[in-house]
Amino acid sequence: AQSVSQHNHHVILSEAASLELGCNYSYGGTVNLFWYVQYPGQHLQLLLKYFSGDPLVKGIKGFEAEFIKSKFSFNLRKPSVQWSDTAEYFCAVNPNNAGNMLTFGGGTRLMVKP
Amino acid sequence: NAGVTQTPKFRILKIGQSMTLQCAQDMNHNYMYWYRQDPGMGLKLIYYSVGAGITDKGEVPNGYNVSRSTTEDFPLRLELAAPSQTSVYFCASSARGNTEAFFGQGTRLTVV
């Protein structure tokens, strides 16, 4: 069965530190890839998505992610985090032959210390 | 533009009680979903619908039922609440041919 792995469950950073959150998936075919963010007490919001083309995608709030097909990875990065980035981050995968279904990773809870 | 609206936001149920979680979207999306979110487990798909009158099971459907009589509404029914159903429930929708999902605010359910 297809799975999505986020290896970092909890990350604590100081403001201005760089961030990289890992995401790996097990599906071997063509996929659409997403990162969602959930701020405390709020619903999930889309950060960025990859469907095709340039494997380096830019999202909102200075986030970016790189799709590396050979590694089945879609890691999220931000050069300098802010306290307001404290949230839970979810990677999600949609195989092209699975309709609109998304499979989510377990999430990474990020805390940024001011 | 309301997007996806879920009610209630919070609910406490006793074991064996039943309830319906409401979900409505005003984006004319064909696809709607119900997920449950448990700590460290991400989101698991309970049921989904690809259009009015069509529903199908997701990864964790046991103990739940759904219906989709209109494009806008996709209620989730718990018939006999169990402690294992304590979770945060999210409804989402997406347009046909577009896998970006839009989420509601969530319903935090506690079964005691």
Side-chain angles (χ1 to χ4, degrees):
Chain A
Q2 181 196 355
S3 67
V4 181
S5 298
Q6 293 180 241
H7 304 294
N8 313 103
H9 297 295
H10 291 91
V11 174
I12 301 174
L13 295 173
S14 298
E15 275 195 315
S18 64
L19 170 71
E20 180 160 4
L21 301 182
C23 173
N24 289 90
Y25 60 93
S26 62
Y27 186 72
T30 306
V31 294
N32 297 326
L33 299 158
F34 304 82
W35 276 98
Y36 281 86
V37 60
Q38 185 180 26
Y39 297 104
Q42 297 189 26
H43 63 288
L44 277 78
Q45 303 169 45
L46 183 68
L47 259 184
L48 48 78
K49 59 189 177 185
Y50 172 80
F51 287 176
S52 63
D54 188 345
L56 184 63
V57 291
K58 306 284 188 184
I60 60 171
K61 304 188 180 186
F63 286 91
E64 64 179 30
E66 185 175 13
F67 170 51
I68 303 180
K69 189 174 181 179
S70 60
K71 295 185 177 180
F72 301 92
S73 71
F74 190 55
N75 291 356
L76 181 71
R77 300 195 292 247
K78 186 170 183 179
S80 175
V81 294
Q82 300 172 308
W83 175 79
S84 57
D85 293 323
T86 294
E88 190 158 15
Y89 293 81
F90 294 94
C91 181
V93 175
N94 164 253
N96 274 358
N97 65 353
N100 276 23
M101 299 305 110
L102 292 176
T103 300
F104 284 84
T108 298
R109 196 175 292 272
L110 171 67
M111 179 184 294
V112 179
K113 299 184 294 184
Chain B
N1 187 358
V4 180
T5 303
Q6 288 182 239
T7 56
K9 287 188 170 55
F10 304 94
R11 183 73 185 266
I12 299 174
L13 280 183
K14 293 184 178 179
I15 294 171
Q17 286 185 319
S18 62
M19 78 164 292
T20 299
L21 282 66
Q22 302 291 344
C23 175
Q25 54 93 8
D26 62 0
M27 297 174 282
N28 202 33
H29 285 169
N30 294 98
Y31 290 77
M32 295 187 75
Y33 318 85
W34 275 105
Y35 290 90
R36 58 177 287 170
Q37 181 185 23
D38 300 301
M41 304 295 290
L43 279 75
K44 301 293 185 185
L45 183 65
I46 305 171
Y47 270 94
Y48 66 98
S49 169
V50 300
I54 306 170
T55 63
D56 209 343
K57 295 177 181 179
E59 188 179 358
V60 290
N62 291 346
Y64 307 95
N65 276 301
V66 294
S67 60
R68 184 97 181 268
S69 56
T70 66
T71 300
E72 293 77 21
D73 300 297
F74 190 42
L76 177 73
R77 178 92 178 151
L78 284 71
E79 290 294 350
L80 289 171
S84 61
Q85 293 176 305
T86 293
S87 188
V88 180
Y89 292 84
F90 285 100
C91 179
S93 71
S94 64
R96 189 192 305 277
N98 184 345
T99 49
E100 178 181 346
F102 294 81
F103 286 81
Q105 297 274 6
T107 296
R108 186 175 294 275
L109 176 67
T110 303
V111 182
V112 297

